[in-house]
Amino acid sequence: MTEPSDFFNPYRHQFVRVAVAVPEVRVADPDFNAAQTITLMGRAAEERAALVVFPELGLSAYSCEDLFHQQALLLGCREALARVLQETAQLPLLAAVGLPLEIDGRLYNCAALIHRGRVLGIVPKTYLPNYREFYERRQFTPGECATRDRITLWGQEIPFGARLLFQAEDQPHLVVHAEICEDLWVPVPPSSYAALAGATVLVNLSASNATLGKDDYRRQLVANQSGRCLAAYLYSACGPGESTTDLAWDAHALIYENGSRLAESERFAYRAQLVAADIDLERLVQDRLRQGTFADSARSHREAVAAFRTVSFRLEVPVRGFLPLKRPLERFPYVPADPARRDERCREVYEIQVQGLVTRLKTTGIDKVVIGVSGGLDSTQALLVCARAMDVLNLPRTHILAYSLPGFATSSRTRRQAQQLMAALGTSARELDIRPAAEAMLRAIGHPHREDRPVFDVTFENVQAGERTSHLFRLANLHGALVVGTSDLSELALGWCTYGVGDHMAHYHVNASVPKTLIQYLIRWVAATGRFGPEASQVLMEVLETEISPELVPSPSGDQPGQRTEAIVGPYELTDFFLYYVLRFGYCPEKVAYLAWCAWHTPATGAWPDIPEAKRHQYTIAEIKRWLGVFLDRFFRLSQYKRSALPNAPKVGSGGSLSPRGDWRAPSDAQARAWLARLSAIPDRESPPRDRA
């Protein structure tokens, strides 16, 4: 029976915990090395890892050189592996252990894949380096020279060869392939073909001595191979105890997933190490499903792919009980917490927006833009893009025809901010009061609103939004200009815009692929760089402190916005989180909710962007479930017809765009029932304590 606490277990959501071990070794001492291996396998099991990878020739040590031709050492390694099998038979994990094996009069550098006291398969090293400091061909034979594909050891008939896959029956997305050190450094590693054959987790038992700059090169190799193969890649290099007769060893262990680093060891540590991380198998499968050229490549190499054999085993996935997620998880998936990466992200996004607008102006031959400036986030960012575009085109910023369009609910604060921003940027600035036109429209259509008898319904709101857009388009006609839209990705996902003659429409959108949470940091970045001067920076910081609101319903005070958008559609920091994982990966609602809970259930753990502590929010699983339901209904059922008629806009990130000509092509008549039905799998309360990491 499933317990509520089981929901808070990453194995329930298609994650698998993997580990890379770097033991202390003694050269040519298999018994000592077996004991270290057993200890680290025990530690990996305590971490509830399903897989652990050890370095190359770990049972003998890599640096034995001609000692590999001594029978005492070779027999000792076989006995050491037998001891490891016996003493770890009760551990529920798969392990990849390195040792030399003599088979048919040839010596092979091997990885033994072991599970619960059995050897599932033995993989020989394919490529033996014989250059610079490496002389492996002096002792070993390449795996391709093997004359048979099965061997008998310890009374077992064991699959043997480089083209073996190891698949867990109870987690079929976990398909493991092993290669050894130099196999990764060649132009086409064996793991490339293994990935095309279905391997999702690639492991490398490596030695890899330390030289200047080699650590960065390893990271690049592992990152690129995991990215090209749409796979996880686990890499373990030799560490303390290897011979330093001519070389040094830095104990470098790495875990990457599709190009992203999840875990790394401490280099040059003088102790055994174990690093672990949770691999998202579903992410890898989803990416392969979307990237059709992955399957095309498999078809192009069908003969190599067909040569792989699959060895099945039962992993006994630990799906019961609470288990903390062990991987980096950004609260703001569109906004890196690291300041340097965040600044680079903001610069890149800003330049993409500017480049899109500059190109559209050049190709149309239009040298002016019309934009409505509300004093809020979206129009502020769009205005900053227009200002930079004019600078790039060597046009005066007065070619930005910026209009403040106050309505019935415009607060004095946003009105003031709009005026100050236009002045600070040096645009052409004018205020057009839309209230007379809106009142005329309301009277003409027979709406019951009167000044002494207000009726604040959707018609009242959309008449104002429509009047603003209608004014902007007619002004563009009058001045031979292009209307620049301001709606962002978050609003388009939620359908939080007025269709047609409203903020939904423009001649060209610059924010349509930029989520609300990122827009805030783009504005903050522009203010911090001071590129438009101190006065503009000051206004930008004031805009960032303003409540997000459509300002279509008057407030009692008139100084602050009267509506709170986030009270209706949910906190944007949550809805942007939902959007990223639904749009980018197609996850089920229960997995999205689980990840949101991991990221947001406590402010005490994980990295934050530069947000003051007082504004660092947290959400219960019940709150996440509520707002996820709102998001799913609005996204899948309510608002696709608006996205099906989007104006042109540049895509800015791999998190996706909602353009019907790009990342998201969906029917406007779809229902949300399939997604909403899965909300029942999300508990209404946390089983573990709220403050638990």
Side-chain angles (χ1 to χ4, degrees), residues 230 282-295:
L230 299 177
E282 186 178 5
R283 176 190 176 185
L284 301 174
V285 172
Q286 286 280 356
D287 277 347
R288 290 180 178 185
L289 181 147
R290 284 172 169 76
Q291 188 172 313
T293 50
F294 187 88

Side-chain angles (χ1 to χ4, degrees), residues 115-136:
H115 176 255
R116 285 201 173 271
R118 296 183 64 251
V119 179
L120 299 182
I122 293 177
V123 178
K125 188 172 183 175
T126 300
Y127 296 100
L128 302 179
N130 223 53
Y131 56 87
R132 298 195 181 101
E133 64 265 46
F134 304 109
Y135 294 94
E136 289 188 25

Side-chain angles (χ1 to χ4, degrees), residues 100-120:
L101 278 177
E102 181 271 318
I103 300 168
D104 295 336
R106 298 182 177 94
L107 187 62
Y108 296 97
N109 179 342
C110 295
L113 279 293
I114 65 175
H115 176 255
R116 285 201 173 271
R118 296 183 64 251
V119 179
L120 299 182

Side-chain angles (χ1 to χ4, degrees), residues 149-322:
D149 60 9
R150 304 186 77 83
I151 60 174
T152 301
L153 292 172
W154 306 288
Q156 286 184 240
E157 189 178 22
I158 302 168
F160 178 79
R163 296 182 179 89
L164 294 178
L165 303 178
F166 302 88
Q167 183 173 32
E169 295 173 350
D170 46 344
Q171 175 45 279
H173 292 330
L174 176 60
V175 183
V176 178
H177 173 265
E179 61 189 5
I180 301 174
C181 199
E182 185 76 8
D183 291 345
L184 175 62
W185 300 64
V186 300
V188 185
S191 56
S192 297
Y193 296 115
L196 295 176
T200 53
V201 179
L202 313 174
V203 306
N204 189 305
L205 296 77
S206 183
S208 196
N209 60 300
T211 57
L212 287 174
K214 195 172 183 179
D215 58 316
D216 280 337
Y217 191 63
R218 286 193 205 106
R219 293 186 191 97
Q220 292 174 28
L221 277 177
V222 174
N224 288 333
Q225 185 66 354
S226 72
R228 282 195 307 271
C229 293
L230 299 177
Y233 202 101
L234 282 58
Y235 183 95
S236 179
C238 291
E242 287 285 355
S243 174
T244 57
T245 301
D246 291 298
L247 303 173
W249 314 88
D250 62 352
H252 203 186
L254 297 165
I255 300 175
Y256 274 75
E257 176 190 286
N258 195 8
S260 298
R261 186 171 62 204
L262 300 186
E264 183 172 4
S265 65
E266 176 189 344
R267 295 178 62 231
F268 298 107
Y270 291 91
R271 65 185 186 284
Q273 294 186 79
L274 184 82
V275 297
D278 291 337
I279 298 297
D280 189 346
L281 295 174
E282 186 178 5
R283 176 190 176 185
L284 301 174
V285 172
Q286 286 280 356
D287 277 347
R288 290 180 178 185
L289 181 147
R290 284 172 169 76
Q291 188 172 313
T293 50
F294 187 88
D296 293 341
S297 185
R299 186 176 65 251
S300 298
H301 298 281
R302 59 173 67 87
E303 291 184 7
V305 168
F308 280 85
R309 294 172 287 157
T310 298
V311 179
S312 298
F313 66 102
R314 185 160 187 81
L315 183 62
E316 300 174 31
V317 178
V319 295
R320 303 305 299 272
F322 174 78

Side-chain angles (χ1 to χ4, degrees), residues 591-603:
K591 182 166 184 174
V592 175
Y594 169 71
L595 290 171
W597 182 85
C598 291
W600 288 99
H601 75 281
T602 173

Side-chain angles (χ1 to χ4, degrees), residues 30-184:
D31 195 53
F32 175 86
N33 298 335
Q36 299 300 305
T37 300
I38 292 164
T39 298
L40 286 173
M41 285 182 65
R43 283 177 54 185
E46 289 172 3
E47 290 263 4
R48 295 176 75 177
L51 167 67
V52 60
V53 180
F54 288 85
E56 181 177 9
L57 297 168
L59 291 183
S60 59
Y62 175 80
S63 49
C64 291
E65 299 193 84
D66 284 353
L67 298 184
F68 283 122
H69 287 158
Q70 295 291 315
Q71 284 298 307
L73 178 61
L74 298 181
L75 291 173
C77 288
R78 289 198 183 199
E79 292 166 358
L81 182 58
R83 176 186 170 190
V84 172
L85 291 171
Q86 181 180 3
E87 296 191 25
T88 63
Q90 300 305 311
L91 299 182
L93 80 165
L94 177 68
V97 178
L99 78 162
L101 278 177
E102 181 271 318
I103 300 168
D104 295 336
R106 298 182 177 94
L107 187 62
Y108 296 97
N109 179 342
C110 295
L113 279 293
I114 65 175
H115 176 255
R116 285 201 173 271
R118 296 183 64 251
V119 179
L120 299 182
I122 293 177
V123 178
K125 188 172 183 175
T126 300
Y127 296 100
L128 302 179
N130 223 53
Y131 56 87
R132 298 195 181 101
E133 64 265 46
F134 304 109
Y135 294 94
E136 289 188 25
R137 280 183 177 267
R138 180 181 173 94
Q139 293 97 24
F140 294 102
T141 300
E144 295 296 320
C145 295
T147 57
R148 51 191 174 128
D149 60 9
R150 304 186 77 83
I151 60 174
T152 301
L153 292 172
W154 306 288
Q156 286 184 240
E157 189 178 22
I158 302 168
F160 178 79
R163 296 182 179 89
L164 294 178
L165 303 178
F166 302 88
Q167 183 173 32
E169 295 173 350
D170 46 344
Q171 175 45 279
H173 292 330
L174 176 60
V175 183
V176 178
H177 173 265
E179 61 189 5
I180 301 174
C181 199
E182 185 76 8
D183 291 345
L184 175 62

